[in-house]
Amino acid sequence: MLEERHDFKAWIYLLPALILLIVFTFYPIVNTFMIVFMVDYDFLYGDYAGWTLTGNIEAVIGHRQFWPAIRNTIIIAFVSVPMSVIISLFIAVWLNSIKKLQGTFQTIFFLPYVTNAIAVGLAFAVIFNRDYGLFNYLLSLFGIDPINWVAPGAEWRFSMIALLVFITWNGLAFKIMVFLSGLQSIDKQYYDAARIDSASRSRVFRKITVPLLSPMIAFITITSFIGAFKEYTAIVGMFGEQMGHRGQLMTIVGLVYEALGEPYTAGSVSLAASAAIVLFFMTLLLTVFNMWVSKKRVHY
Amino acid sequence: MSAQNNETTYDTRRQIIVKRVVRYTFVYTILTFFALLVIIPFYWMILTSLMTPDKIASPVPVMFLRFRDMQFGNYYEAMFAPEAPDFIRYMANTVLVAAISTVGTIITTILSAFAFARLNFKFKELFFLLLIATMMIPGEMFVITNFITVSRLGWVEMVGQQYHHAILAMTLPFMTSIFYIFFLRQTFKQVPDELYYAAKVDGTKDFQYLWKIMVPIARPTIITILILNAMGTWNAFIWPNLVATRPAFNLVSNGLREFATAIEFLPQEEYIGQQMAAAFVITFPILVVFFLLKKHIMRGVSRSGIKG
């Protein structure tokens, strides 16, 4: 019903957002891509010594922390995302099946979403403290000797486990909330029909709930993977800007910000841009793969 | 025959009730277990913030504190001690940055959401697709060039940064949001066209219509955007960490992290109480806002997932 065209007027309304988007969103995409192909880019004056096709990409791949960062990023994504998706799906289903206290539980489960990852990360670091943390105390009840999880000198595998616990914990809130609202929008008729056929609960879950929720599960999984690829603040919160003992928890985004934190070092900004491009293509690959999978699998 | 029938019904009914009791016990137990897992870090933060160093260092963790054992001095020292970070100032900085960027965001968002929902113009579909595509691109791509941009504008002086430069650098890039534009456009689209034509007949200008009719109708959505945006600033870490070069211009998260880094190699138990006190001080306002405006926040978040 918008038959009239208002070209001029419409662009006036769009203008404030448009200017900001051009300067801080569209231009940066182009510019960051270009920096990747510039030799010795000077971030303050924009000078550069010529063009290179793969020079900066080679530099980032040759960075001593590049492969560890890729490994850490992939481990974080492929462990924390499935764990938090599955746990939150079950919590949402249980939450949806009760009436009393549903609101209270919902509020509690939502807390990690609103609170500050730095502040909560510090609390997790205290819980995972080697000498007086709650976690080591609980392990000691099973006869396990104290483990150094977060402090300087911690082993990589232990730091990674502690980090995965925190990241999974942190990711539950949003997923529970979205799944719950999805469950509440499923037509009750399906469940009534299942009850008449006296289908078992696990059967109802597998044959009705999961298929009908599958678009949402797919959406949450893809956005969570993208989020997990960009994990940074949670690591800084719990382990500090060094990204763990000797940077052993470095991620791709960690490389970006480490390089960007020293913009005056020659080649630093190019390195940041190249790492960002690597992240961009990882994200793109995942998005395309996910779209392909969900076309085949998701029941709409 | 009827007696026997009654008995079976009674038995099945009993069975159903037993089954139901078992099920509910299971569900409530497991939900309580997970709820505890969510609460423990917060509880631990508060608990530790009230402990003396010797309690903190106790190898068997202290799980409860009596009132008279609570060390409220940790809060005083974290906030007011001369050698402690200036958290009062960081909070003022954060409130200012949140206020400016939220007001900016809401204005640009309302105007462009109106254009997308109500007006027809050339390249509308194309522009819309472009914006959606942009949302798929990782933010780091923007951050790098935006850092260069604000540096070239002279706002990120490495020495002697001026306050208004820091504030500009922290707010201007965040004065609009594609996601919120879409979010508000959805709400605006639900306003019936008839209202628009009726207003036109009465000679109402577009801007008046937007301001007097659309905005009041979309108030719940606008409030949700305001809260989510302000909370986002309160929790922001990465960007302020890059562009605020003087400790005095820190936002709360950056101040807290610097505090933690400063004590990393000191005897931690001496400072962890204060650190947790500071952590709770910056968590507390968020909790208050959350409990007061729970409905708006949860509604906004659960709806953001449905667009897929």
Side-chain angles (χ1 to χ4, degrees):
Chain A
M1 292 297 289
L2 308 164
E3 55 290 307
E4 251 184 286
R5 279 255 299 263
H6 305 275
D7 286 349
F8 182 70
K9 199 199 290 171
W11 289 106
I12 292 287
Y13 278 96
L14 288 171
L15 198 63
L18 191 63
I19 292 172
L20 288 165
L21 287 173
I22 288 172
V23 176
F24 295 113
T25 305
F26 300 142
Y27 161 68
I29 297 171
V30 178
N31 191 55
T32 305
F33 252 106
M34 282 173 54
I35 293 172
V36 175
F37 301 110
M38 292 174 177
V39 179
D40 287 340
Y41 178 75
D42 180 313
F43 85 104
L44 263 190
Y45 300 102
D47 300 336
Y48 55 97
W51 297 90
T52 167
L53 189 62
T54 54
N56 289 320
I57 301 281
E58 278 167 31
V60 74
I61 292 176
H63 190 282
R64 113 198 118 73
Q65 277 183 308
F66 179 76
W67 291 111
I70 292 277
R71 176 198 59 186
N72 289 339
T73 307
I74 287 177
I75 290 175
I76 289 170
F78 282 86
V79 177
S80 76
V81 172
M83 278 214 309
S84 60
V85 167
I86 292 168
I87 296 174
S88 54
L89 185 59
F90 276 103
I91 291 180
V93 170
W94 287 322
L95 209 49
N96 194 37
S97 74
I98 60 168
K99 284 202 185 69
K100 267 191 192 132
L101 294 177
Q102 194 193 48
T104 313
F105 278 122
Q106 210 177 338
T107 307
I108 293 170
F109 289 133
F110 196 66
L111 283 178
Y113 185 80
V114 292
T115 45
N116 190 304
I118 301 286
V120 179
L122 289 175
F124 267 86
V126 175
I127 290 173
F128 278 95
N129 184 292
R130 182 187 178 281
D131 302 318
Y132 39 81
L134 175 64
F135 200 73
N136 271 348
Y137 173 71
L138 294 178
L139 290 183
S140 76
L141 300 179
F142 298 96
I144 298 171
D145 288 336
I147 293 170
N148 182 3
W149 303 93
V150 291
E155 275 182 60
W156 172 79
R157 55 191 174 133
F158 293 129
S159 289
M160 184 52 94
I161 292 170
L163 176 66
L164 288 170
V165 171
F166 177 38
I167 290 177
T168 306
W169 180 93
N170 213 14
L172 288 177
F174 178 71
K175 299 182 184 80
I176 293 173
M177 214 47 52
V178 174
F179 284 146
L180 186 63
S181 72
L183 287 171
Q184 285 166 347
S185 66
I186 291 179
D187 196 333
K188 294 283 172 291
Q189 281 183 7
Y190 295 110
Y191 292 107
D192 293 340
R195 196 176 312 144
I196 291 169
D197 293 346
S198 56
S200 72
R201 277 188 179 272
S202 74
R203 206 177 150 74
V204 171
F205 179 73
R206 279 180 295 120
K207 298 287 175 183
I208 298 179
T209 310
V210 170
L212 285 174
L213 216 57
S214 60
M216 198 168 270
I217 297 173
F219 171 74
I220 286 290
T221 307
I222 178 174
T223 48
S224 309
F225 262 104
I226 294 173
F229 277 174
K230 302 200 297 183
E231 206 56 76
Y232 176 72
T233 311
I235 307 172
V236 173
M238 197 167 169
F239 295 89
E241 275 177 280
Q242 303 301 316
M243 309 287 277
H245 177 57
R246 294 190 179 152
Q248 59 186 352
L249 295 177
M250 182 57 74
T251 59
I252 291 294
V253 174
L255 282 178
V256 173
Y257 291 123
E258 192 188 58
L260 206 54
E262 293 174 355
Y264 289 97
T265 310
S268 212
V269 173
S270 308
L271 193 80
S274 307
I277 292 292
V278 172
L279 175 73
F280 171 74
F281 280 110
M282 283 170 73
T283 312
L284 192 69
L285 201 71
L286 196 80
T287 312
V288 171
F289 174 74
N290 237 305
M291 276 157 106
W292 179 71
V293 170
S294 44
K295 268 221 180 91
K296 292 195 148 173
R297 278 276 174 83
V298 172
H299 306 243
Y300 285 98
Chain B
M1 179 189 134
S2 75
Q4 197 192 358
N5 211 342
N6 271 344
E7 215 161 274
T8 22
T9 337
Y10 177 73
D11 271 358
T12 4
R13 206 176 287 159
R14 234 179 74 136
Q15 245 179 356
I16 289 171
I17 290 172
V18 169
K19 245 185 170 173
R20 198 170 281 172
V21 169
V22 170
R23 226 192 83 73
Y24 276 114
T25 317
F26 167 76
V27 168
Y28 277 101
T29 311
I30 200 148
L31 284 177
T32 309
F33 171 73
F34 277 109
L36 279 177
L37 287 189
V38 170
I39 288 178
I40 282 172
F42 297 107
Y43 177 69
W44 216 250
M45 187 193 286
I46 299 170
L47 193 72
T48 313
S49 75
L50 294 167
M51 281 188 199
T52 51
D54 59 305
K55 279 220 172 55
I56 289 170
S58 146
V60 177
V62 179
M63 311 236 182
F64 303 97
L65 278 178
R66 280 170 302 186
F67 185 77
R68 63 188 149 94
D69 291 336
M70 290 183 184
Q71 192 71 15
F72 289 98
N74 285 338
Y75 282 84
Y76 178 81
E77 271 168 46
M79 303 304 292
F80 305 109
E83 72 277 8
D86 196 350
F87 277 106
I88 306 278
R89 179 144 194 194
Y90 303 159
M91 284 204 253
N93 294 342
T94 313
V95 168
L96 183 64
V97 169
I100 295 173
S101 69
T102 303
V103 169
T105 302
I106 209 70
I107 293 171
T108 59
T109 301
I110 289 176
L111 293 176
S112 20
F114 177 72
F116 276 120
R118 191 56 269 179
L119 302 172
N120 194 16
F121 55 94
K122 215 177 175 178
F123 304 128
K124 182 171 164 176
E125 306 299 317
L126 190 74
F127 188 39
F128 199 72
L129 271 177
L130 188 70
L131 291 185
I132 292 180
T134 312
M135 290 213 293
M136 304 261 182
I137 293 172
E140 283 64 35
M141 298 281 291
F142 312 128
V143 169
I144 293 169
T145 296
N146 288 346
F147 176 73
I148 296 170
T149 305
V150 292
S151 300
R152 285 191 192 156
L153 287 166
W155 294 346
V156 194
E157 305 97 321
M158 286 295 154
V159 181
Q161 188 181 33
Q162 287 183 280
Y163 191 54
H164 69 279
H165 283 165
I167 297 293
L168 275 170
M170 285 193 270
T171 52
L172 199 63
F174 299 99
M175 292 244 194
T176 192
S177 149
I178 296 175
F179 175 68
Y180 293 145
I181 292 175
F182 288 155
F183 190 35
L184 188 58
R185 169 184 165 271
Q186 286 309 107
T187 312
F188 276 172
K189 280 207 130 182
Q190 287 161 9
V191 179
D193 288 338
E194 286 71 21
L195 271 178
Y196 181 67
Y197 296 123
K200 277 267 142 161
V201 170
D202 290 345
T204 315
K205 291 261 190 308
D206 271 2
F207 185 74
Q208 273 179 315
Y209 172 75
L210 168 62
W211 191 244
K212 292 266 168 67
I213 298 178
M214 294 272 244
V215 169
I217 292 177
R219 224 180 81 146
T221 306
I222 292 173
I223 293 174
T224 301
I225 294 174
L226 285 174
I227 304 164
L228 289 180
N229 198 69
M231 291 205 319
T233 311
W234 189 265
N235 293 334
F237 174 78
I238 294 174
W239 181 253
N241 199 34
L242 281 173
V243 299
T245 59
R246 277 164 74 166
F249 302 162
N250 272 335
L251 301 193
V252 282
S253 307
N254 310 100
L256 192 61
R257 190 55 243 178
E258 272 180 18
F259 188 17
T261 306
I263 64 167
E264 196 171 354
F265 293 99
L266 299 175
Q268 298 234 342
E269 56 277 11
E270 297 287 330
Y271 298 94
I272 280 182
Q274 293 167 36
Q275 181 191 307
M276 287 295 106
F280 186 63
V281 166
I282 74 164
T283 305
F284 185 68
I286 285 280
L287 292 179
V288 171
V289 170
F290 173 59
F291 282 111
L292 288 178
L293 303 164
K294 211 161 52 182
K295 276 207 183 97
H296 287 287
I297 296 169
M298 306 223 297
R299 202 183 58 111
V301 171
S302 45
R303 226 201 267 162
S304 70
I306 298 178
K307 70 188 165 88

